[in-house]
């Protein structure tokens, strides 16, 4: 726990491979620590449940039952159904079955762009519409994978927010690796949020003011390929298996929930050069770098 | 070719989908286990309790405690139980007009059950009211909602109400289905009510002379109703609702304690007769409500129009706003309600003696008269600071002032000039509530 200017106390932890912190206005360290632990436990619970790296997660269990019907719990059902709606409303651009494209694409700053045939071979195993999804029953066909990575962190912010909001009336801000949500501004003024410069020097490129609500950022600061002067962003279009052309480096969106902000940022990225126009059409506050 | 949704519609769908996802997670996190049975009941059930005191200027006063308990199963299923007890006492108008002469009546009120007739005298110029009116009511109800599919649910319920002289039972069932990513809900409901009326001192024969003591046995009535409702989420902050309902009551629909003055041409009271209302009543109503909210304020505007086979038409308009303090711990909720109704076809403030032989239906009950009423209310709510077990706890105080003005335009006979024939009604209500 750290003290910050303006009467704020910060609790820091790591979850979902990101630095996370909870900032609370107030002077009671015991209470702040208690609230911070609650937020961390919720983040860890969601990480544990939906991780694709653990063999005891719900995702691993679903992957272990490919080809047979699984009845999902209420939370997983809600998340999967949310993913279905995102798939439908984005005309297939947002797809939680697209994770297997990682087998072809390794975004390590190198020039290893995959063969066209390698990518094409993966496409038959991608597409939410190929799932047999009759909530709460799911049949995951052979060869397919689910990856909640695109919504898990934002969802965790909102879940932790709900828990904190029910215990704490004091102004607080949750920051899980750049996805944020605040209940209200501290007395001395709005929360100041620094968004990192896309080039990897880790300095804040701009400062945003947030009173309440959520901010989410989608970007490819450190994850891209460079070949023949073409920068391949890590934003892949699941319909082609290839990176979106001319996607912005960083898109930050404000909305009332982190889940909504995150989806808007991701959908904007998937529009490539049309990201700004897309966000303007949605009437969402946004910052593009 | 499939048309792509307009972008703003995409945002609306995304907001609705996010809300659906996060509300599931909120319900889920309330399910986490708690030790001990009492802790579990207190945590899993939401309790609301209220104590109201109602006072009419110079007439009835009532005390009403209410307890409501509800439990969500987390899968969209829900059960709720409620219990109410009313104790009413005071003075109730019996329907007769004020007069320049003293008037003496026999009260059939519950308090005087043993004697069944408890005489009282009304002074000249005063509205005749039974001063020993007293009754108690106990009522309980249960409702059970169970999800049928992800998008539809059915609700079954029942109510039972017992008074000294009145027993009522109601069963209801409704079906609701969500469309359009849960932005639209259509509800269809039906209900059936059966009542038994056992007036204190037996049921008076309709239209009989008050002094003749002609009595009959117990009576009953039955009502069936149906409701069709549409709820639409217009934007994230705007909800609109439209309900259409129809119901039909048949059987004994009189108020057994209401009489009407019989006046001669000069306005002198020659006697009183018991009222008689038609034995069926069909009501149709339309209700339209809009709720707009932001983080610190909300506005709720509702309109209702009702028409029935007795010739009554009524309109209600209500504006309710709620303002939260910046920390959302306190809120203030001012309400203004305007109500107007036209009189029933058979409402007569008195019966001219010359018409007595030809009259089939008559009531002088001011509740069937042409009147308008204004209600001003203010509610204050305080959310208790330490919200243990994740269930919110709230304390409320509500104050309401009700003012009814009768608008009866019958020509006043000479013998009644100078009297305040139709005093309106003023009432206050104070209610303390606690939910946890």
């Amino acid at each position: 726990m750290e003290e910050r200017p303006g009467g704020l106390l910060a609790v820091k932890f790591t979850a979902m491979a990101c630095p996370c912190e909870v900032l609370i206005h107030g002077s009671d360290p015991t209470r702040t620590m208690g609230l911070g632990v609650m937020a961390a436990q919720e983040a860890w619970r969601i990480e544990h449940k939906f991780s694709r790296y653990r063999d005891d997660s719900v995702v691993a269990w679903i992957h272990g039952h490919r080809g047979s019907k699984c009845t999902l719990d209420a939370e997983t059902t809600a998340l999967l159904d949310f993913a279905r709606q995102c798939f439908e409303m984005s005309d297939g651009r947002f797809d939680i079955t697209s994770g297997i494209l990682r087998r072809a694409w390794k975004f390590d700053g190198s020039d290893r762009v995959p063969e066209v045939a390698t990518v094409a071979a993966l496409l038959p195993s991608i597409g939410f519409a190929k799932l047999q999804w009759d909530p709460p029953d799911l049949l995951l066909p052979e060869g397919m994978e689910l990856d909640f990575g695109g919504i898990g962190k934002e969802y965790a912010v909102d879940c932790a927010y709900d828990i904190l909001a029910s215990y704490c009336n004091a102004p607080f801000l949750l920051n899980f690796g750049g996805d944020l949500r605040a209940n209200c501004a501290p007395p001395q003024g709005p929360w100041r949020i620094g968004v990192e410069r896309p080039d990897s020097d880790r300095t804040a490129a701009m400062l945003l003011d947030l009173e309440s609500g959520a901010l989410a950022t989608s970007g490819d600061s450190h994850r891209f390929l460079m070949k023949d002067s073409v920068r391949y962003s890590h934003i892949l279009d699941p319909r082609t298996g290839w990176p979106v052309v001319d996607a912005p480096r960083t898109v930050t969106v404000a909305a009332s929930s982190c889940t909504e902000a995150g989806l808007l940022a991701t959908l904007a990225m998937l529009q490539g050069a049309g990201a700004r126009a897309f966000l303007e059409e949605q009437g969402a506050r946004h910052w593009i770098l | 070719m499939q048309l792509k949704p307009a972008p703003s519609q995409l945002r609306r769908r995304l907001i609705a989908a996010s809300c659906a996802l996060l509300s599931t997670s909120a319900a889920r996190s309330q399910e986490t286990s708690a030790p001990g049975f009492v802790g579990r009941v207190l945590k899993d059930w939401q309790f609301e309790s209220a104590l109201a005191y109602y006072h009419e200027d110079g007439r009835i006063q009532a005390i009403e405690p209410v307890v409501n308990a509800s439990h969500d199963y987390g899968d969209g299923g829900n059960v709720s139980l409620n219990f109410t007890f009313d104790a009413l006492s005071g003075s109730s108008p019996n329907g007769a007009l004020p007069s320049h002469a003293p008037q003496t009546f026999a009260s059939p009120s519950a308090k005087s059950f043993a004697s069944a007739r408890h005489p009282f005298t009304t002074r000249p110029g005063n509205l005749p009211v039974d001063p020993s009116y007293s009754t108690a009511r106990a009522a309980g109800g249960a409702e059970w909602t169970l999800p049928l599919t992800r998008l539809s649910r059915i609700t079954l319920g029942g109510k039972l109400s017992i008074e000294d002289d009145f027993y009522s039972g109601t069963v209801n069932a409704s079906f609701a289905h969500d469309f359009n990513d849960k932005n639209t809900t259509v509800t269809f409901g039906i209900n059936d009510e059966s009542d038994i009326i056992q007036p204190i001192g037996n049921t008076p024969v309709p239209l009989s002379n008050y002094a003749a003591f002609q009595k009959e046995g117990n009576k009953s009535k039955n009502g069936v109703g149906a409701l069709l409702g549409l709820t639409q989420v217009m934007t994230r902050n705007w909800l609109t609702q439209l309900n259409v309902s129809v119901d039909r009551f048949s059987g004994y629909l009189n108020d057994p304690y209401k009489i009407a003055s019989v006046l001669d041409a000069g306005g002198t009271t020659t006697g009183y007769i018991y009222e008689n209302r038609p034995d069926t009543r069909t009501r149709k109503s339309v209700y339209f409500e809009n709720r707009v909210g932001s983080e610190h304020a909300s506005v709720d505007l509702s309109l209702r129009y009702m028409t029935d086979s007795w010739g009554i038409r009524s309109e209600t308009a209500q504006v309710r706003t709620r303002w939260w303090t910046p920390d959302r711990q306190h809120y203030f909720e001012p309400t203004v309600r305007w109500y107007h109704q036209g009189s029933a076809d058979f409402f007569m403030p008195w019966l001219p003696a010359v018409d007595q032989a030809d009259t089939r239906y008559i009531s002088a009950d001011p509740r069937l008269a042409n009147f308008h009423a204004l209600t001003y209310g203010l509610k204050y709510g305080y959310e208790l600071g330490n919200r243990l077990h994740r269930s919110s706890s709230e304390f409320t105080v509500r104050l309401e002032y009700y003012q009814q003005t009768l608008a009866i335009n019958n020509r006043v006979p000479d013998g009644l000039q100078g009297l305040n024939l139709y005093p309106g009604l003023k009432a206050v209500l104070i209610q303390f509530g606690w939910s946890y």
Side-chain angles (χ1 to χ4, degrees):
Chain A
M1 186 159 59
E2 291 175 7
E3 270 190 58
R4 298 282 174 86
L8 298 172
L9 290 169
V11 180
K12 301 178 97 166
F13 57 95
T14 301
M16 296 165 283
C18 290
C20 301
E21 67 178 5
V22 181
L23 280 167
I24 299 173
H25 179 79
S27 55
D28 182 346
T30 319
R31 181 169 160 74
T32 302
M33 185 50 96
L35 293 166
V37 168
M38 273 196 256
Q41 280 175 342
E42 181 68 357
W44 293 329
R45 182 190 70 78
I46 291 168
E47 176 181 15
H48 187 147
K49 184 166 177 179
F50 297 105
S51 169
R52 59 190 164 82
Y53 302 109
R54 300 184 63 107
D55 54 11
D56 57 349
S57 70
V58 169
V59 172
W61 176 73
I62 294 170
H63 288 165
H65 288 78
R66 283 193 187 88
S68 57
K69 198 173 84 172
C70 301
T71 301
L72 306 183
D73 67 282
E75 185 179 32
T76 311
T77 300
L79 258 180
L80 197 58
D81 213 46
F82 178 71
R84 171 192 63 82
Q85 295 180 62
C86 294
F87 174 79
E88 287 170 2
M89 71 181 85
S90 67
D91 296 333
R93 288 185 179 88
F94 180 90
D95 194 334
I96 64 163
T97 66
S98 66
I100 56 167
L101 287 170
R102 272 189 310 272
R103 294 177 196 165
W105 292 91
K106 310 263 188 241
F107 294 98
D108 49 8
S110 73
D111 62 352
R112 279 173 294 188
V113 173
E115 297 293 325
V116 173
T118 313
V119 173
L122 294 171
L123 291 183
S125 298
I126 297 173
F128 195 101
K130 293 168 188 160
L131 303 177
Q132 288 181 39
W133 175 228
D134 178 21
D137 298 327
L138 170 73
L139 193 151
L140 180 70
E142 294 294 344
M144 291 186 72
E145 269 183 24
L146 297 185
D147 180 1
F148 288 100
I151 41 181
K153 189 150 61 85
E154 292 88 342
Y155 173 69
V157 170
D158 287 328
C159 290
Y161 175 89
D162 282 345
I163 291 175
L164 253 54
S166 70
Y167 284 98
C168 176
N169 286 314
F172 67 82
L173 174 81
L174 285 164
N175 179 355
F176 290 5
D179 290 328
L180 307 98
R181 189 157 170 194
N183 62 341
C184 55
Q188 67 272 20
W191 301 97
R192 309 227 76 184
I193 315 294
V195 175
E196 270 179 29
R197 190 179 295 281
D199 320 308
S200 52
D201 63 358
R202 296 243 163 191
T203 53
M206 53 180 176
L207 280 174
L208 309 179
D209 280 353
L210 178 72
E211 293 254 350
S212 64
L215 280 184
T217 299
S218 181
D220 71 340
S221 311
H222 314 295
R223 299 171 62 199
F224 59 91
L225 293 179
M226 211 60 170
K227 186 177 185 184
D228 305 333
S229 318
V230 178
R231 185 189 157 98
Y232 292 88
S233 119
H234 88 289
I235 306 290
L236 298 171
D237 188 331
R239 300 171 305 178
T240 62
W242 282 78
V244 174
V245 180
D246 294 335
R249 308 283 283 276
T250 305
V251 172
T252 301
V253 180
S256 58
S257 73
C258 208
T259 307
E260 185 194 346
L263 243 297
L264 283 171
T266 306
L267 294 183
M269 275 290 197
L270 286 163
Q271 301 289 331
R276 189 180 300 275
F278 171 82
L279 287 169
E280 271 158 16
E281 279 173 304
Q282 307 314 318
R285 256 177 96 203
H286 60 276
W287 300 266
I288 293 177
L289 288 176
Chain B
M1 190 184 83
Q2 195 190 348
L3 286 171
K4 279 167 79 170
S8 59
Q9 192 189 342
L10 185 150
R11 179 109 198 254
R12 282 209 301 274
R13 287 178 62 187
L14 179 57
I15 289 166
S18 309
C19 286
L21 168 66
L22 298 174
S23 66
T24 314
S25 84
R28 179 202 52 76
S29 49
Q30 281 176 351
E31 282 169 25
T32 46
S33 62
F37 174 76
V38 174
R40 207 159 58 236
V41 168
L42 285 176
K43 194 169 104 64
D44 292 353
W45 286 74
Q46 179 82 19
F47 289 90
E48 276 174 52
S49 57
L51 179 68
Y53 173 74
Y54 171 83
H55 180 91
E56 288 179 359
D57 184 23
R59 297 195 199 160
I60 286 173
Q61 54 197 15
I63 291 178
E64 183 187 74
V66 179
V67 181
N68 197 332
S70 63
H71 173 62
D72 285 324
Y73 290 106
D75 59 351
N78 168 293
V79 61
S80 76
L81 305 169
N82 65 74
F83 183 78
T84 310
F85 181 80
D86 289 322
L88 273 81
S89 62
S91 310
S92 173
N94 65 4
L97 282 181
S99 162
H100 285 298
Q103 303 181 83
T104 297
F105 303 92
S107 162
S109 68
K111 209 180 203 175
S112 46
F113 185 75
S115 65
R117 297 181 72 82
H118 184 92
F120 64 91
T121 299
T122 301
R123 283 190 293 184
N126 283 8
L127 185 74
V129 291
D130 175 352
S132 56
Y133 179 77
S134 161
T135 185
R137 179 176 74 104
E143 209 156 69
W144 182 40
T145 299
L146 76 159
L148 292 178
T149 68
R150 203 166 51 89
L151 295 173
S152 61
R153 60 214 160 268
I154 192 163
T155 300
L156 302 171
K159 270 188 293 195
L160 209 59
S161 170
I162 298 172
E163 287 177 59
D164 298 323
D165 52 358
F166 188 74
Y167 306 85
S168 173
T170 305
V171 287
N172 62 280
S174 69
F175 172 78
H177 191 86
D178 299 326
F179 298 92
N180 190 14
D181 279 335
K182 299 199 176 184
N183 283 327
T184 308
T185 303
V186 173
T187 308
F188 176 72
I190 48 172
N191 63 74
D192 186 277
E193 175 181 337
S194 291
D195 302 334
I196 296 170
I197 303 117
Q198 292 183 331
I200 310 301
N202 280 332
T203 313
V205 173
L207 302 175
S208 67
N209 189 323
Y210 180 69
F213 309 141
Q214 285 176 279
K215 298 294 172 123
E216 304 174 332
N218 298 337
K219 297 289 180 183
S220 66
K221 73 170 188 270
N222 181 261
V224 289
L227 174 141
L228 186 63
L230 176 73
T231 306
Q232 174 71 42
V233 178
M234 307 294 280
T235 69
R236 191 163 58 91
N237 295 328
W238 177 18
L239 187 78
T240 187
Q241 188 179 359
L242 182 70
N243 286 350
V244 182
S245 66
V246 58
D247 61 27
R248 180 182 161 84
F249 277 88
S250 57
Y252 183 80
L253 304 181
N254 296 345
D255 182 329
Y257 307 123
K258 293 284 188 240
I259 58 175
S261 299
V262 180
L263 303 186
D264 68 15
T268 306
T269 304
T270 61
Y272 312 93
I273 62 165
Y274 279 104
E275 68 162 37
N276 189 31
R277 307 180 185 189
D279 58 9
T280 62
R281 182 185 193 184
T282 305
R283 285 191 299 196
K284 296 167 195 161
S285 69
V286 182
Y287 175 79
F288 182 54
E289 179 180 344
N290 278 283
R291 255 183 274 169
V292 180
S294 72
E295 197 176 351
H296 293 296
S298 69
V299 181
D300 181 354
L301 174 70
S302 64
L303 301 167
R304 186 187 159 89
Y305 177 76
M306 191 279 292
T307 172
D308 76 4
S309 60
W310 287 358
I312 297 177
R313 285 158 197 272
S314 74
E315 304 93 39
T316 313
Q318 178 177 292
V319 185
R320 169 170 287 168
T321 58
R322 185 183 274 206
W323 306 89
W324 279 274
T325 54
D327 61 3
R328 282 184 71 89
Q329 269 211 318
H330 309 264
Y331 67 82
F332 295 89
E333 190 182 87
T335 304
V336 178
R337 182 166 55 245
W338 176 85
Y339 175 83
H340 170 260
Q341 76 168 38
S343 70
D345 296 335
F346 53 87
F347 171 81
M348 286 193 266
W350 66 83
L351 180 63
V354 289
D355 296 338
Q356 190 171 355
D358 300 329
T359 299
R360 262 185 83 202
Y361 301 116
I362 178 176
S363 175
D365 186 338
R367 290 171 297 184
L368 302 180
N370 184 29
F371 71 84
H372 67 262
L374 271 167
T375 307
Y376 305 94
L378 180 66
K379 183 174 169 181
Y380 161 75
Y382 171 61
E383 293 220 342
L384 296 167
N386 190 10
R387 295 152 85 185
L388 286 172
H389 298 306
R390 307 213 55 220
S391 56
S392 61
S393 174
E394 184 182 89
F395 174 76
T396 58
V397 185
R398 187 157 69 99
L399 264 170
E400 266 188 15
Y401 175 73
Y402 171 86
Q403 185 170 28
Q404 183 200 71
T405 310
L406 290 163
I408 299 168
N409 296 319
N410 297 48
R411 196 192 63 79
V412 178
D414 296 340
L416 295 176
Q417 292 291 349
L419 294 170
N420 183 9
L421 295 181
Y422 318 117
L425 177 64
K426 295 182 178 77
V428 290
L429 173 95
I430 180 162
Q431 186 188 54
F432 300 94
W434 188 34
S435 66
Y436 49 94

